[in-house]
């Protein structure tokens, strides 16, 4: 394999992520562990999004499941080999990796279009809150508050992503806005491109925004009960994404939509507030 064809190291792939700053502030051992977990999540996500036909994607996810079973059974971990030391050191649970694969399977089986709210919540649990359940032991967050933080912060981040990526997802034939919100807004179409251009889209986004804000509030309440040093990364993630949500609400959802990004000074301010102490 020549240098040009070698895969980028986990830190390099993480650098383009919205979570990079939150990972970067961690102590080295935790930071490197998070890079490896993030890289694994990205690899599985790439299978679900870009892994060929639905049958091909499902087959590859099946191979990931086989390697996961082998990892926890003491066999050759295959695709999970890079995270195997992290699993052992931090006691990461098999069921949380399995939930992540279940979420990616939802994407691989068929393009998601206007799921009902219960299905959307299940999807958010699998693709986002499960990642929180894997991350919290690395951050040093345990006990009864750990699953609650993963539950609320994961859902807050994922719902914000859904609102941010409406156009990008429409280009992939996907529509994650819940059926109930579309019906309440008077949008009958389930075609992602048509919904993205619909004049009532903003109304359909309102309950999703409200739901995300509630999860941010619940996550903040959990964080307030935890040692501040252990919550630097999740606090920074939550603060950055809450600003994204604020920016999208201020911008509105009428097309054409410019992509909202926190400014450099805003990020520096959030880093000083949440990342240093």
């Amino acid at each position: 394999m020549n240098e040009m064809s070698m895969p980028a190291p986990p830190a390099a792939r993480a650098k383009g992520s919205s979570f990079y700053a939150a990972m970067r502030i961690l102590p080295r051992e935790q930071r490197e562990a998070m890079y490896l977990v993030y890289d694994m999540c990205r690899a599985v996500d790439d299978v679900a999004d870009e892994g060929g036909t639905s049958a091909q994607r499902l087959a590859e996810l099946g191979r990931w499941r086989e390697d996961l079973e082998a990892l926890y059974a003491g066999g050759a971990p295959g695709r999970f080999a890079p995270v195997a030391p992290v699993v052992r050191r931090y006691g990461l649970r098999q069921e949380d990796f399995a939930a992540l694969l279940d979420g990616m399977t939802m994407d691989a089986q068929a393009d998601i279009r206007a799921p009902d709210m219960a299905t959307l919540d299940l999807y958010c649990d699998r693709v986002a809150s499960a990642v929180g359940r894997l991350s919290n032991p690395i951050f040093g967050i345990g006990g009864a508050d750990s699953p609650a933080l993963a539950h609320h912060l994961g859902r807050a981040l994922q719902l914000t992503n859904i609102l941010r990526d409406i156009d990008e997802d429409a280009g992939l034939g996907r529509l994650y806005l819940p059926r109930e919100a579309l019906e309440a807004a008077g949008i009958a179409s389930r075609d992602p491109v048509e919904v993205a251009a619909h004049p009532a889209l903003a109304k359909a986004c309102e309950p999703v925004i409200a739901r995300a804000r509630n999860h941010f509030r619940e996550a903040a309440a959990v964080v307030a009960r935890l040692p501040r040093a252990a919550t630097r990364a999740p606090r920074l993630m939550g603060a950055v994404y809450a600003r994204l949500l604020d920016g999208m609400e201020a911008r509105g959802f009428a097309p054409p939509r410019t992509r909202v990004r926190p400014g450099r000074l805003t990020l520096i301010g959030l880093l000083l507030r949440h990342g240093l102490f």
Side-chain angles (χ1 to χ4, degrees), residues 211-260:
R211 197 176 185 92
R213 290 202 184 282
N214 183 64
H215 284 302
F216 277 122
R217 284 191 296 270
E218 293 291 340
V222 177
V223 163
R225 300 194 293 266
L226 293 166
R228 190 168 174 84
T231 60
R232 289 191 304 157
R235 276 191 283 118
L236 185 55
M237 290 179 195
V240 170
Y241 267 70
R243 288 298 181 94
L244 281 175
L245 190 61
D246 291 342
M248 286 187 287
E249 190 168 26
R251 177 207 62 190
F253 289 88
R257 288 171 285 273
T258 57
R259 194 169 181 85
V260 172

Side-chain angles (χ1 to χ4, degrees), residues 1 3 7 30 37 39 47-48 67 69 71 81-82 145 165 175 197 200 230-231 252 257 273:
M1 180 181 292
E3 184 174 339
Q30 293 167 293
V37 171
D39 193 54
V47 172
D67 290 344
E69 292 285 343
L71 169 64
D145 284 324
D165 295 339
L175 173 62
T231 60
R257 288 171 285 273
R273 180 179 178 186

Side-chain angles (χ1 to χ4, degrees), residues 125-194:
D125 183 81
R126 289 172 169 177
V127 303
S129 294
V131 179
R133 294 192 291 272
L134 292 168
S135 302
N136 282 345
I138 299 173
F139 297 150
I141 298 171
D145 284 324
S146 179
L149 178 59
H151 176 98
H152 290 295
L153 186 58
R155 283 161 167 81
L157 301 182
Q158 188 61 30
L159 291 172
T160 302
N161 276 338
I162 285 169
L163 292 163
R164 181 194 63 188
D165 295 339
I166 288 171
D167 295 303
E168 181 181 337
D169 290 332
L172 296 172
R174 295 174 180 171
L175 173 62
Y176 292 97
L177 294 176
R179 181 183 311 159
E180 295 91 333
L182 296 176
E183 291 173 351
I187 301 175
S189 176
R190 298 296 178 261
D191 179 87
V193 174
E194 290 180 3

Side-chain angles (χ1 to χ4, degrees), residues 83-95:
V83 297
V86 180
V87 169
R88 290 190 292 269
R89 182 169 188 83
Y90 294 99
L92 306 188
R93 303 188 312 168
Q94 181 177 358
E95 54 261 45

